[in-house]
Amino acid sequence: INTPQSGKVAVVIGGGAGHEPAFWGYVGAGLADAAVVGNTFASPPPDPIIAATRAVQGAAGVLYIYGNFSGDVMNFDMAAEIMEAEGVRVRSVITTDDIASSPRETRSARRGVAGTTGAAADLMLPLNEVERMARHANARTYTMGLALEPCSLPETRQPSFELGPDDMEIGVGVHGEPGVERRNMETADTCADLLLDRILE
């Protein structure tokens, strides 16, 4: 958590654990002021979000940035309502960059993995402008995952999908959701070209 600065919009990000170094790794100069992390692949509850907001806000407003997952949306929205009742101005930007999770026609339904930014707040810009710049960054951020092994959660120790030793899963989700295509294992160069071609489309 950064020390609150008078006149600076505070940027609070968060999501589930298991994505390290996100989200706590994005706290620092030009980045976020606080990161709130829940259990593995689970949203942080409202109370820690509220505590982090109180710790970093410096009377210029707060911007929440988080991925497009139902738990994150619900809990950050609840925290925002409580903070606004205390007189803190809160805006939210939901990241929607994972191109494998939804076609471009329904961009707002995409999962959020990246696109978190805090540089505009460091320039001491007002809340409206910090929010606008965060939305601008999100609209121009595109990601796609590729997995060589399935994910397994600590509590179940079961793979989220089956994948052969010579296969790779294209478009896998950040929580181990199955992808959109399965192929035989390729070289790193071929994989990079494959993902980049789809992102550039």
Side-chain angles (χ1 to χ4, degrees):
I1 291 181
N2 286 343
T3 304
Q5 296 181 45
S6 178
K8 177 188 179 297
V9 172
V11 177
V12 178
I13 64 173
H19 307 300
E20 290 76 9
F23 298 89
W24 52 263
Y26 300 149
V27 174
L31 298 169
D33 294 291
V36 192
V37 181
N39 291 331
T40 304
F41 297 169
S43 168
D47 285 348
I49 301 170
I50 291 165
T53 305
R54 289 174 178 155
V56 298
Q57 72 96 12
V62 177
L63 179 66
Y64 290 158
I65 306 177
Y66 51 89
N68 192 20
F69 302 98
S70 57
D72 294 302
V73 172
M74 179 180 68
N75 290 338
F76 273 92
D77 281 355
M78 289 172 60
E81 287 179 14
I82 291 168
M83 294 312 304
E84 286 172 342
E86 294 182 7
V88 178
R89 291 181 302 142
V90 179
R91 301 287 174 79
S92 296
V93 172
I94 302 171
T95 60
T96 54
D97 51 273
D98 181 1
I99 66 169
S101 59
S102 184
R104 78 169 53 101
E105 296 79 25
T106 53
R107 166 83 191 241
S108 63
R110 287 179 176 170
R111 298 181 292 233
V113 180
T116 301
T117 178
D122 261 14
L123 296 174
M124 306 301 278
L125 296 175
L127 181 58
N128 286 350
E129 186 65 7
V130 174
E131 178 191 14
R132 186 188 73 78
M133 293 296 288
R135 292 189 186 283
H136 179 83
N138 176 63
R140 285 150 182 81
T141 302
Y142 303 91
T143 64
M144 189 172 192
L146 184 147
L148 304 180
E149 293 182 4
C151 173
S152 62
L153 295 175
E155 62 265 25
T156 65
R157 298 185 183 181
Q158 298 298 314
S160 54
F161 57 88
E162 297 294 327
L163 192 60
D166 298 318
D167 294 333
M168 60 183 190
E169 188 84 359
I170 300 162
V172 67
V174 70
H175 303 124
E177 299 94 338
V180 294
E181 183 183 351
R182 186 165 297 174
R183 288 191 182 187
N184 291 333
M185 190 89 65
E186 298 277 7
T187 66
D189 281 350
T190 300
C191 291
D193 287 342
L194 185 154
L195 294 180
L196 191 55
D197 286 347
R198 295 187 180 200
I199 287 170
L200 291 175
E201 285 176 10

